[in-house]
Amino acid sequence: MNHFLTDTEMASLVEAIKIAEDHSSGEIRVHIDSTAEDDFANKAFAIFRSLDMHHTKERNAVLFYVNFEHHYLTIIGDEGIHKKVKQSFWDNLHDEITSEFAKEKYCQGLQNAILKTGLELKKYFPVDGENINELPNDISFS
C-alpha cells in the first residue's frame, strides 16, 4: 500500500473528506499512486476520469493525486469549481501541501487542503435540498 500514511491517518483523511463535503454538493477524492510511471500528469487525469469525477452534477469534484515515492502531487478541480476558485487557489493549496510534505507531515498537509477545499465548495456550491454523496469518500490506490 503506502509507507507514508498509517491506517489511522488514512481514516482521518476520509473523515476530513466527509466534513469537507458537508453542506456542499462538491465531491473530494484522494488517490495514492505507488507506480513507477513517469507521466504522472496524464495518469492523474486518467484516474480522475476512471473515478467518474467528471460526472458530478455540478462538475465540482476535486482530486488530490499523490505519488509519495516520486514526490509528485497534483490537484485536479473539475470545470465547475475551477471556474469559481481560479488557478491561484490550486497553486496556493499545492504550495501549502508540499510545504507540509517537506516536513514529513503528509496527513496534516492533505487534511488541511481537504478542509480548505471544502470551505470553497461550501461557498460556491451550497447544498440545495438533500445532500447526495455522488462519489465514495474512500482513498483509492494504484
Side-chain angles (χ1 to χ4, degrees), residues 65-133:
Y65 173 95
V66 184
N67 186 306
F68 291 112
E69 291 89 353
H70 291 277
H71 307 284
Y72 185 85
L73 163 73
T74 194
I75 308 163
I76 302 173
D78 205 356
E79 63 185 35
I81 185 63
H82 184 71
K83 285 179 186 175
K84 301 289 186 181
V85 300
K86 310 293 184 217
Q87 188 62 41
S88 60
F89 174 76
W90 307 121
D91 292 343
N92 290 334
L93 203 57
H94 186 277
D95 290 348
E96 291 171 17
I97 296 169
T98 55
S99 175
E100 291 299 304
F101 282 10
K103 297 181 249 180
E104 298 184 1
K105 294 183 177 180
Y106 306 109
C107 182
Q108 191 65 48
L110 285 169
Q111 194 170 40
N112 290 345
I114 289 165
L115 295 173
K116 275 190 172 181
T117 300
L119 292 175
E120 293 301 306
L121 288 168
K122 288 174 195 175
K123 185 187 314 179
Y124 296 112
F125 299 97
V127 174
D128 184 25
E130 185 181 358
N131 189 3
I132 298 168
N133 193 17

Side-chain angles (χ1 to χ4, degrees), residues 6-116:
T6 66
D7 289 344
T8 301
E9 289 172 326
M10 286 191 282
S12 74
L13 292 177
V14 170
E15 187 60 31
I17 291 169
K18 290 176 186 172
I19 292 167
E21 291 181 1
D22 195 30
H23 305 295
S24 166
S25 64
E27 296 291 334
I28 299 171
R29 299 290 308 265
V30 173
H31 183 84
I32 299 174
D33 179 20
S34 298
T35 65
E37 294 180 31
D38 58 356
D39 192 0
F40 297 113
N42 279 334
K43 181 149 187 205
F45 280 103
I47 294 294
F48 188 89
R49 288 187 299 276
S50 75
L51 295 173
D52 288 332
M53 296 188 73
H54 59 301
H55 288 152
T56 61
K57 182 179 177 183
E58 297 188 71
R59 302 292 305 266
N60 56 0
V62 178
L63 174 66
F64 292 90
Y65 173 95
V66 184
N67 186 306
F68 291 112
E69 291 89 353
H70 291 277
H71 307 284
Y72 185 85
L73 163 73
T74 194
I75 308 163
I76 302 173
D78 205 356
E79 63 185 35
I81 185 63
H82 184 71
K83 285 179 186 175
K84 301 289 186 181
V85 300
K86 310 293 184 217
Q87 188 62 41
S88 60
F89 174 76
W90 307 121
D91 292 343
N92 290 334
L93 203 57
H94 186 277
D95 290 348
E96 291 171 17
I97 296 169
T98 55
S99 175
E100 291 299 304
F101 282 10
K103 297 181 249 180
E104 298 184 1
K105 294 183 177 180
Y106 306 109
C107 182
Q108 191 65 48
L110 285 169
Q111 194 170 40
N112 290 345
I114 289 165
L115 295 173
K116 275 190 172 181

